[in-house]
Amino acid sequence: MRLRSLTVVLISCFMVFLSLAIAPSAVALTQIRLFDVTYKDCPPELAKGAVISSGSAAANCFIVIGKAENGTNKTVYDADIFGRIYDANNDSVMQNRTRLGSIAEVPTGISDFELRISVPANQPTPLKLKQFKAAGFSGQVRR
């Protein structure tokens, strides 16, 4: 009976050790600093026929551009971009929405990013871009 208990304990310890040795590495959320964020008008081919998400009202097309800083030593994938956009009257351009888009891949160091947005045509410019940041994963996320 004692030998049987010892065998069970040894096998259990071996299985735990084996599962730790072959477990995949954790894919953690990595913060990306966004800075020098500004915007420009879309080229005519992108702006043609722009509408807001409801699909019925006319919209102006803009490209948000800036720099992304990945301070880790790994490429970050599928980084969601968060921020707030206000019009000239300090009214929110994207009501109840802070996730604005994503960056497919952010290499180590500083890189450029751009994001296309549509703003209702009745909201006055210039736009104010605030609290921009991004967060992504250090490994590919399954789709």
Side-chain angles (χ1 to χ4, degrees), residues 1-61:
M1 182 71 172
R2 194 169 212 199
L3 183 61
R4 188 175 187 174
S5 298
L6 184 61
T7 303
V8 169
V9 169
L10 287 174
I11 289 174
S12 298
C13 289
F14 176 73
M15 290 177 70
V16 168
F17 176 75
L18 187 62
S19 69
L20 291 174
I22 61 172
S25 60
V27 179
L29 200 59
T30 303
Q31 299 298 317
I32 303 295
R33 183 173 82 97
L34 302 181
F35 60 99
D36 292 342
V37 180
T38 186
Y39 70 96
K40 62 182 180 181
D41 291 331
C42 287
E45 60 273 5
L46 285 179
K48 184 179 179 185
V51 293
I52 58 174
S53 60
S54 66
S56 60
N60 294 323
C61 176

Side-chain angles (χ1 to χ4, degrees), residues 58-72:
N60 294 323
C61 176
F62 298 103
I63 305 268
V64 175
I65 54 176
K67 305 260 184 218
E69 181 180 12
N70 177 1
T72 68

Side-chain angles (χ1 to χ4, degrees), residues 67-131:
K67 305 260 184 218
E69 181 180 12
N70 177 1
T72 68
N73 60 357
K74 294 182 178 180
T75 299
V76 173
Y77 300 94
D78 303 315
D80 290 322
I81 299 173
F82 300 94
R84 299 202 178 270
I85 303 175
Y86 300 97
D87 67 11
N89 297 328
N90 287 323
D91 293 325
S92 180
V93 168
M94 311 246 178
Q95 291 291 331
N96 302 319
R97 186 172 155 202
T98 60
R99 184 193 177 276
L100 302 173
S102 67
I103 307 171
E105 191 173 304
V106 184
T108 299
I110 296 175
S111 58
D112 295 324
F113 78 92
E114 64 179 42
L115 166 72
R116 182 185 177 277
I117 60 168
S118 294
V119 175
N122 63 351
Q123 291 197 270
T125 56
L127 300 178
K128 298 171 188 167
L129 310 175
K130 297 184 178 183
Q131 300 174 338

